[in-house]
Amino acid sequence: MELSVVVPTLNARRRLARALDALDTHLPDVEVVVVNGPSSDGTSGLVRDHPAADVLLEIPERNLNASRNAGLAAATGDVVAFVDHRSVVREGWYDALAAAIEAGADVVTGPVHRAVSGGVTTEECERETVAGRDVRYFDGGNVAFTRAAAEALDGFDEYLETGAARDAAHRLAGLDTRVVWEPAFAVLRADGDDVPDRVAETPEGSATGLKYRALAYRLAKNYGVSLSVAWRAVRHALREAGAAARDVLDGDETPSSWLSRGRAVLTNAVSGVEAGLRARRRDRTPTRNPNGVSSRMDRAMSRYDL
């Protein structure tokens, strides 16, 4: 197995240093491609001096999925893994991946252990059936694809600012690929002390708004419009509204902010459905990715072989 590890990053120098240190310790002989968005915290200098990094790509876009796709296009391995700048690979990560690939897996994912006060909490395997598809979700910061599976997906959908890994999980289910959950394929994630990436402060650009735009987009793009799929989106929105209403009753949120969140959900859901149906028309193949690697081969970026 020839493995490449892609590490997208943006303004997270300290966290990235920990991620690269772990790769250098546990995977010293694999290709590591770091894709740096327009960071302003000295990330480029860190990467150039770090022994784990083999390739540094500098791109002008702040879109995580643009970074993932740029790294995928540059990687040379027959297996490509994605580890985000917060994720520290654990001992046994490589062996678990190699065993799963040898056993015939197309995609390998595993738990993300999150550091919390007093210990860690661990994500569990998440899967569901949607319109007859068995969808197994994965964290985009701890996943590996065979080259064939990555090319069948055409990478991640760059329309999405959030939720692209879940979109890819739906598309993998449609492509009938074998997605394997390996408990030993684990990373530890801690937020660290970097300044967090900012989300736009307008209601339409809030985290809630982006979440529902992504949800509506991936459902419309992958499944079209049907009553069962529409009800799935409505059910998510009702749960969001119920949680917000409880916050209002508890005094943690004002009625005006609750209404603002509601408008953000509705506006972004409608926008996501429209964009998803356009994307579905643009790519009628099972790949369902009109905004993938192949559409961005002329991407502006600088490459440094280290």
Side-chain angles (χ1 to χ4, degrees):
M1 179 180 75
E2 295 293 328
L3 175 64
S4 296
V5 179
V6 175
V7 188
T9 189
L10 175 64
N11 286 331
R13 188 176 187 275
R14 291 186 181 91
R15 284 176 284 181
L16 176 64
R18 290 191 284 269
L20 292 178
D21 287 346
L23 290 172
D24 192 40
T25 299
H26 298 298
L27 291 85
D29 299 320
V30 307
E31 178 185 57
V32 175
V33 180
V34 180
V35 188
N36 183 31
S39 295
S40 56
D41 64 349
T43 290
S44 297
L46 164 71
V47 175
R48 292 186 188 201
D49 293 338
H50 202 287
D54 297 292
V55 178
L56 169 62
L57 303 179
E58 301 272 8
I59 69 172
E61 298 157 277
R62 296 179 65 89
N63 186 317
L64 169 62
N65 301 301
S67 294
R68 288 169 170 165
N69 284 349
L72 174 59
T76 61
D78 54 24
V79 175
V80 182
F82 293 86
V83 176
D84 71 27
H85 58 221
R86 299 170 297 162
S87 298
V88 177
V89 300
R90 311 300 297 275
E91 185 176 358
W93 186 93
Y94 179 88
D95 291 340
L97 171 60
I101 293 296
E102 185 175 355
D106 300 301
V107 181
V108 181
T109 188
V112 174
H113 304 303
R114 297 180 186 272
V116 296
S117 177
V120 297
T121 182
T122 301
E123 290 181 356
E124 300 295 333
C125 178
E126 182 185 1
R127 63 193 301 176
E128 64 178 340
T129 301
V130 183
R133 294 184 189 179
D134 180 20
V135 182
R136 176 166 289 188
Y137 295 111
F138 57 85
D139 189 303
N142 187 36
V143 64
F145 303 85
T146 63
R147 175 65 63 177
E151 291 179 353
L153 272 182
D154 200 20
F156 294 86
D157 190 326
E158 295 184 27
Y159 168 83
L160 291 164
E161 297 177 63
T162 185
R166 295 183 81 84
D167 170 69
H170 286 279
R171 295 190 288 118
L172 285 168
L175 291 165
D176 198 27
T177 53
R178 186 181 177 208
V179 181
V180 173
W181 172 274
E182 283 290 339
F185 186 73
V187 297
L188 176 66
R189 180 170 296 166
D191 286 338
D193 50 1
D194 296 283
V195 176
D197 299 336
R198 293 185 178 272
V199 176
E201 297 297 329
T202 62
E204 291 75 16
S206 68
T208 300
L210 293 176
K211 171 185 172 182
Y212 280 91
R213 186 189 306 171
L215 171 65
Y217 175 83
R218 67 175 175 263
L219 289 177
K221 183 185 70 166
N222 288 297
Y223 304 101
V225 177
S226 70
L227 286 177
S228 62
V229 170
W231 171 240
R232 180 175 294 273
V234 170
R235 196 168 63 236
H236 278 276
L238 289 174
R239 282 200 294 263
E240 182 82 32
R246 286 191 294 272
D247 289 341
V248 172
L249 293 174
D250 293 340
D252 297 328
E253 187 171 354
T254 65
S256 61
S257 64
W258 180 52
L259 290 173
S260 178
R261 284 174 65 180
R263 284 194 297 270
V265 168
L266 179 60
T267 301
N268 281 277
V270 171
S271 175
V273 169
E274 292 175 345
L277 292 177
R278 286 196 300 271
R280 186 174 176 84
R281 288 193 295 269
R282 286 175 57 196
D283 186 352
R284 299 177 183 273
T285 71
T287 298
R288 296 292 184 197
N289 190 7
N291 309 295
V293 174
S294 63
S295 68
R296 298 300 309 276
M297 296 306 291
D298 60 345
R299 187 189 312 277
M301 66 179 178
S302 299
R303 175 178 173 135
Y304 304 93
D305 294 299
L306 306 176

